Amino acid sequence: MHEIITLQLGQSSNYLATHFWNTQESYFTYDGEAGLLNHDIHFRPGIGADGTDTFTPRTLVYDLKGGFGSLRKINALYEIEEEKNMQGTLWDSQPVILQDTPIEQHPYQRSLDQGLSPPELTTETVRYWSDFNRVFYHPRSIIQLNEFELNSVLMPFEKWGTGEELFSGLDKEHDLLDRDLRLFAEESDQVQALQIITGVDDAWGGFATRYLERLKDEFGKTSIWVWGLENNHQSSRVSDPSAVRQAAGKTRRGRFVTYLAILTNASIQEKHQLKTLNLARSLQGMASQASLYVPLAIPPRPLPSYVSLNRGSEWHMSALLSTALETMTLPSRLKTLCENQITLTQFGDLLNVNGNQKIACLQLSVLKPELGNSQSPDDPTITVCDPRQTGAPSNEDAAPADLVAFDMDLSPREIGQSQKGPPSKVHTFCQVEVVRGTQSNRFPVDSTHQLPQRLAGCPVVQRYCTTLGHPLDSIPHLFPSREPQSIHAPRSLVVRTSLSTTSSVATRIKSVQSAVRKLVGLDERETLLNELNEICEAYEEGWDSGSDEDDD
């Protein structure tokens, strides 16, 4: 069945993954009508405690103590079985259960449990990712790491080495693959791929890197995708100390304000440096081991006018990323008979043009609903790349009619890059697009020239289209002007996404190299910088400054 098993590591990853699973739940049909998706790829059939059939995600959900909100490990599908296990103990007396004060269940969850119409969620009411969750998980999917507490001040889960040590200790004691993953792997007919959704600029980066090493040893030939989340939206601007002193004045209160501002600046700068160092170590460990590594971050301002995003809400920001991630991987969930079905392994092979290009950039556009059936690549809403423009493919032999500029680039920006100034020129090696909610003949691509383009070093473009739009009821209203206005239109979005391997990867990694050069000791520095430099070389070979001079 070509199953995909997902690993969700950390709070931010679970926010994103919850949107993903809610979207999968929206595809279920209960009237016997056959859909386009093969639900068995991401969901596992089973038997509940009362003998009823169950359908739960093939996923492992890791989070810290307090990170699950009101979500219980034993849900309504399995609670009878749990009661029997409690009664079957060897202890004669009644067990004494000690537990923390439970987190109050969200009204949205309470309504779902009672079969009532749930209230509308808002950025103010969503506290945890479990507040808007719409699926049941198998008890073996829920894994709480009690060694650390969410948002703890005394023991913050921030340093890369902390996550590395936590995984090593747990794996030594329990063998995490055998305890957590074995059940899901052995019940699968043929695992298509593993996908890891994880933070990379905090302690989860170290945890994920060591987990990935174990997965490579155990599933050597299986494709492993890593979606690396960077929380650059949480960074704050460091104030100029001289400006702070001048504004505060020379009074006692002014000197106190100056002192606090300097301390705050130092703390912010220290956190920035820690995140950068964590990121560098994650890139070093994961980019070379993963079959495909996709860095993710919320784009800087300004966003397109049709996007209504609350940057202070994890619920909102994760929904934007999930829209792109879920759309991009949609062909891997289509039924085998569908024309545009493709596995994640084939995805990775397409993008890896030069044999060692395992980092891809994710982009997103949400199109007008009426254009789903009428829009063509010549429509002004879809901008065709012009090689003469800054930031567009600069290869003279490229096929500009096939390369498209997207509204949002979800790849993290360069470390230390200023907000002003034009972006550097980017060369595209390969671009794989997915267009949903429209007819395939509206977005043609000439595939007959792919091999000559690949051999000539020109951009290779592959496009997959499906009439299945993105369900509106699975995410917040981020794109109000892109929602269909007619009551007869499908309640879905027309979305266009792409994964591409470009020379911008080398530019970004060089900026990380430059930033961490003074943050690590001499012993680690040489190894870290050399391995990052090897990653850069894969995105520079055959693409230089454009000079006409011979190699010699």
Side-chain angles (χ1 to χ4, degrees):
M1 281 189 293
H2 299 289
E3 297 88 351
I4 298 176
I5 301 174
T6 303
L7 284 78
Q8 308 166 204
L9 308 180
Q11 186 77 182
S12 297
S13 304
N14 289 330
Y15 264 93
L16 190 157
T18 301
H19 286 296
F20 176 86
W21 294 119
N22 285 350
T23 305
Q24 306 316 303
E25 189 269 343
S26 297
Y27 298 133
F28 290 162
T29 56
Y30 302 96
D31 54 3
E33 181 182 353
L36 296 175
L37 297 185
N38 181 359
H39 299 297
D40 290 326
I41 289 178
H42 275 289
F43 284 80
R44 54 181 299 278
I47 304 295
D50 58 355
T52 58
D53 294 333
T54 63
F55 215 41
T56 55
R58 301 182 190 273
T59 187
L60 297 176
V61 185
Y62 290 86
D63 214 329
L64 305 181
K65 182 180 179 182
F68 289 91
S70 61
L71 181 68
R72 296 184 299 161
K73 182 180 180 70
I74 309 298
N75 54 53
L77 297 180
Y78 299 93
E79 59 186 357
I80 300 177
E81 182 177 339
E82 177 67 8
E83 291 174 4
K84 291 181 179 178
N85 292 337
M86 290 288 293
Q87 295 171 3
T89 58
L90 298 177
W91 188 255
D92 295 333
S93 303
Q94 289 294 324
V96 178
I97 300 177
L98 301 177
Q99 61 181 13
D100 294 334
T101 303
I103 297 174
E104 184 180 358
Q105 190 178 31
H106 194 281
Y108 184 87
Q109 294 297 317
R110 196 179 306 119
S111 299
L112 291 179
D113 290 344
Q114 296 172 357
L116 304 175
S117 179
E120 185 174 354
L121 294 167
T122 66
T123 55
E124 290 78 18
T125 60
V126 174
R127 308 159 301 169
Y128 302 92
W129 56 265
S130 59
D131 288 346
F132 60 95
N133 170 60
R134 297 208 315 234
V135 300
F136 284 115
Y137 295 97
H138 189 278
R140 295 282 292 272
S141 289
I142 305 300
I143 305 163
Q144 179 171 282
L145 305 181
N146 294 311
E147 288 78 5
F148 289 87
E149 191 167 357
L150 183 68
N151 299 326
S152 172
V153 177
L154 296 178
M155 294 180 60
F157 199 62
E158 295 178 345
K159 295 184 178 180
W160 194 92
T162 302
E164 180 186 32
E165 292 174 3
L166 177 60
F167 177 84
S168 299
L170 291 173
D171 192 48
K172 183 178 181 180
E173 182 178 357
H174 301 290
D175 189 346
L176 293 186
L177 266 66
D178 189 62
R179 186 193 73 176
D180 301 339
L181 186 62
R182 189 75 59 196
L183 168 69
F184 296 90
E186 290 183 348
E187 68 182 9
S188 303
D189 291 339
Q190 183 180 0
V191 177
Q192 171 191 157
L194 303 171
Q195 65 171 357
I196 303 173
I197 308 175
T198 180
V200 293
D201 56 4
D202 55 12
W204 287 110
F207 191 92
T209 300
R210 295 299 167 245
Y211 211 140
L212 179 59
E213 287 181 358
R214 290 279 282 113
L215 292 173
K216 288 293 291 184
D217 291 340
E218 187 74 16
F219 304 92
K221 297 183 179 180
T222 303
S223 181
I224 304 177
W225 280 35
V226 175
W227 303 90
L229 298 173
E230 299 183 28
N231 290 327
N232 58 357
H233 57 272
Q234 296 177 351
S235 61
S236 303
R237 183 175 298 177
V238 179
S239 305
D240 181 7
S242 60
V244 171
R245 293 190 185 95
Q246 185 176 0
K250 297 182 179 180
T251 64
R252 178 181 299 179
R253 182 178 181 277
R255 289 195 298 270
F256 181 69
V257 171
T258 302
Y259 176 71
L260 288 180
I262 293 175
L263 286 181
T264 302
N265 283 352
S267 176
I268 293 174
Q269 188 172 11
E270 184 179 348
K271 287 187 176 181
H272 284 182
Q273 293 174 346
L274 178 60
K275 282 182 174 291
T276 303
L277 183 56
N278 291 337
L279 172 62
R281 288 168 173 163
S282 295
L283 286 170
Q284 175 194 20
M286 284 192 272
S288 58
Q289 296 187 86
S291 304
L292 191 72
Y293 177 87
V294 185
L296 296 175
I298 297 297
R301 294 180 175 86
L303 290 172
S305 58
Y306 63 80
V307 179
S308 177
L309 181 70
N310 185 337
R311 290 180 179 269
S313 169
E314 193 80 40
W315 177 51
H316 261 214
M317 292 184 294
S318 57
L320 178 65
L321 298 177
S322 176
T323 302
L325 184 156
E326 201 276 331
T327 298
M328 196 66 227
T329 57
L330 181 62
S332 67
R333 297 186 292 279
L334 294 175
K335 291 182 178 178
T336 308
L337 298 178
C338 294
E339 180 182 354
N340 290 310
Q341 193 271 342
I342 181 175
T343 65
L344 293 186
T345 302
Q346 293 169 327
F347 253 128
D349 293 341
L350 280 172
L351 290 164
N352 194 357
V353 175
N354 292 346
N356 199 28
Q357 294 173 330
K358 299 181 179 181
I359 303 179
C361 304
L362 182 64
Q363 295 178 305
L364 169 70
S365 291
V366 181
L367 311 182
K368 294 180 180 179
E370 63 270 17
L371 298 177
N373 295 322
S374 63
Q375 192 167 4
S376 69
D378 297 327
D379 192 284
T381 309
I382 297 182
T383 308
V384 176
C385 291
D386 185 345
R388 295 168 296 180
Q389 295 177 349
T390 302
S394 56
N395 193 324
E396 295 295 334
D397 297 326
D402 286 339
L403 283 173
V404 172
F406 287 76
D407 295 338
M408 288 170 278
D409 185 356
L410 302 181
S411 300
R413 61 187 303 147
E414 298 170 26
I415 303 294
Q417 177 183 344
S418 63
Q419 298 284 345
K420 299 180 180 180
S424 58
K425 290 185 177 181
V426 175
H427 173 76
T428 300
F429 299 97
C430 180
Q431 180 171 287
V432 180
E433 297 179 24
V434 175
V435 188
R436 67 186 307 175
T438 182
Q439 300 293 333
S440 59
N441 58 359
R442 299 296 178 183
F443 298 87
V445 60
D446 187 1
S447 60
T448 59
H449 297 92
Q450 286 188 5
L451 182 58
Q453 286 176 335
R454 186 183 290 260
L455 295 176
C458 300
V460 178
V461 179
Q462 182 67 46
R463 187 171 297 133
Y464 298 90
C465 297
T466 177
T467 56
L468 183 65
H470 191 289
L472 273 174
D473 62 350
S474 64
I475 58 172
H477 296 287
L478 301 181
F479 318 104
S481 64
R482 293 298 195 253
E483 296 180 6
Q485 303 302 316
S486 172
I487 59 174
H488 303 292
R491 302 300 298 167
S492 59
L493 297 169
V494 182
V495 183
R496 187 169 193 168
T497 58
S498 79
L499 277 175
S500 56
T501 45
T502 71
S503 59
S504 64
V505 173
T507 306
R508 173 98 197 300
I509 295 180
K510 285 180 179 178
S511 72
V512 175
Q513 282 181 300
S514 177
V516 302
R517 193 176 298 274
K518 298 180 180 180
L519 302 180
V520 292
L522 186 61
D523 295 338
E524 183 186 2
R525 183 190 310 162
E526 183 175 358
T527 302
L528 177 62
L529 297 182
N530 286 343
E531 293 188 13
L532 291 178
N533 193 59
E534 289 179 6
I535 298 174
C536 288
E537 291 174 355
Y539 298 87
E540 294 177 331
E541 185 177 355
W543 166 246
D544 215 1
S545 60
S547 172
D548 293 329
E549 299 178 2
D550 293 332
D551 293 339
D552 56 351

